[in-house]
Amino acid sequence: VFFRLKKTGTLNTSYGAINDELLLFPEINLQNLRKSIINIRRKKLPEPSELGNAGSFFKNPVVSKRKAEELKEQYRDMPIYPDGDKIKLAAGWLIDKCGCKEISYGDAGVHKDQALVLVNYGRASGSEIIYLSEKIKETVYQSFGVELETEVNIL
């Protein structure tokens, strides 16, 4: 495999809270961008050694511009992100907005600070995690007509 890498490039700081986090640093460069992203992830995601989780469980769904416009008309506070000729939605926002952030099944639950993260509060089985994820997908689809896809690999 051959890779052709550029020595200089353009940093993409437009996603989420990156610009706000970068204000903590004296200059915007690749190293500080990396530190900013690590800081954001530490604030949003639980430490796996303290609370069992696999990080972001769901991918941010990509929908047509028309579908995004329909949803944005109904939910003015819905975050959207251009993604080529489509629109990327925030899966965490969708999960939170339809009330799934408060649900659990057995010892499996949704993290209190980040709805994309499913957690193990004790002895959750794999089937409890999968059941919870399917319930979330179903509820999001019924509420918004948007299908969520898992980001984790389920074996």
Side-chain angles (χ1 to χ4, degrees):
V1 175
F2 293 94
F3 295 98
R4 181 172 293 166
L5 304 175
K6 294 179 181 179
K7 289 186 179 186
T8 59
T10 305
L11 301 178
N12 182 355
T13 63
S14 65
Y15 200 79
I18 292 174
N19 278 324
D20 292 340
E21 192 68 31
L22 275 170
L23 293 175
L24 303 174
F25 296 95
E27 69 176 294
I28 297 174
N29 57 35
L30 187 57
Q31 184 177 11
N32 290 338
L33 176 61
R34 178 184 176 276
K35 288 177 185 176
S36 295
I37 292 169
I38 289 169
N39 289 344
I40 291 166
R41 290 186 66 78
R42 281 192 180 131
K43 290 175 189 174
K44 288 186 171 189
L45 301 174
E47 183 62 43
S49 63
E50 296 171 16
L51 183 60
N53 74 88
S56 295
F57 201 88
F58 301 100
K59 293 179 182 180
N60 287 325
V62 177
V63 299
S64 69
K65 286 184 179 180
R66 184 172 186 221
K67 178 67 175 176
E69 288 168 2
E70 289 172 11
L71 289 169
K72 193 74 173 165
E73 232 175 81
Q74 191 172 357
Y75 305 98
R76 301 239 183 254
D77 62 331
M78 181 182 72
I80 60 171
Y81 306 96
D83 188 26
D85 62 341
K86 300 210 176 220
I87 301 292
K88 186 180 288 189
L89 305 178
W93 184 92
L94 296 169
I95 293 165
D96 193 14
K97 193 72 170 180
C98 66
C100 286
K101 199 168 175 184
E102 292 82 32
I103 66 172
S104 61
Y105 182 72
D107 274 348
V110 179
H111 189 259
K112 64 181 178 60
D113 295 329
Q114 179 48 268
L116 281 178
V117 178
L118 301 188
V119 295
N120 184 340
Y121 286 117
R123 295 180 172 258
S125 66
S127 59
E128 288 174 333
I129 297 287
I130 290 170
Y131 177 84
L132 178 62
S133 73
E134 292 301 319
K135 188 71 177 159
I136 291 168
K137 287 183 193 179
E138 182 182 309
T139 305
V140 167
Y141 186 77
Q142 289 173 353
S143 299
F144 302 103
V146 174
E147 288 188 35
L148 290 183
E149 185 181 342
T150 56
E151 187 164 359
V152 299
N153 293 321
I154 300 174
L155 305 174

